[in-house]
Amino acid sequence: MLEQEERDMTHADQAFAPVEANTVELSESTSADADFRVERKEARNWRISLLSERGSHWFEANFARGGQDAGVFETDLAGANAFIRKARLDGFRTEYIGPLARSHF
């Protein structure tokens, strides 16, 4: 895992190429250990779904805004990237649903 993170940091400025160990086929249901799911909904809209109770508490403390659905947060690409980065730094796992596969960060 540590080697993978070092490779990710070394190649951060290159195009994203998911490592096979972190990618599963779309037919598989959500990972039980993911705290959040990030998926693109429209050209500029990204949806972040809360999958775990632990993640929900962290989300409420860091990102919740009045009037939002308790389980879903919509943002732009910059917001989604910032969310994934902060969640990862704080020890949370995010499931990204791409056009061909699911990846976990």
Side-chain angles (χ1 to χ4, degrees):
M1 179 85 177
L2 199 51
E3 291 177 14
Q4 177 63 39
E5 288 180 3
E6 289 174 4
R7 273 187 266 145
D8 288 347
M9 296 303 287
T10 302
H11 301 291
D13 60 340
Q14 296 179 0
F16 176 74
V19 176
E20 190 168 323
N22 290 338
T23 305
V24 295
E25 294 180 22
L26 282 175
S27 60
E28 183 177 313
S29 63
T30 184
S31 173
D33 59 356
D35 297 296
F36 309 103
R37 177 182 300 128
V38 175
E39 57 190 316
R40 185 173 152 188
K41 298 314 287 179
E42 296 174 6
R44 295 182 183 193
N45 293 330
W46 292 76
R47 178 178 292 163
I48 300 169
S49 302
L50 311 178
L51 302 178
S52 73
E53 186 175 332
R54 177 178 167 257
S56 294
H57 292 296
W58 178 85
F59 175 83
E60 289 174 16
N62 292 280
F63 290 94
R65 298 179 194 155
Q68 277 186 318
D69 180 346
V72 176
F73 169 59
E74 292 198 6
T75 187
D76 59 11
L77 178 59
N81 284 334
F83 179 89
I84 293 169
R85 185 173 28 257
K86 181 158 179 50
R88 186 173 182 194
L89 287 173
D90 288 350
F92 292 90
R93 187 169 173 144
T94 301
E95 173 186 57
Y96 166 75
I97 299 180
L100 301 176
R102 295 176 196 247
S103 300
H104 294 91
F105 303 98

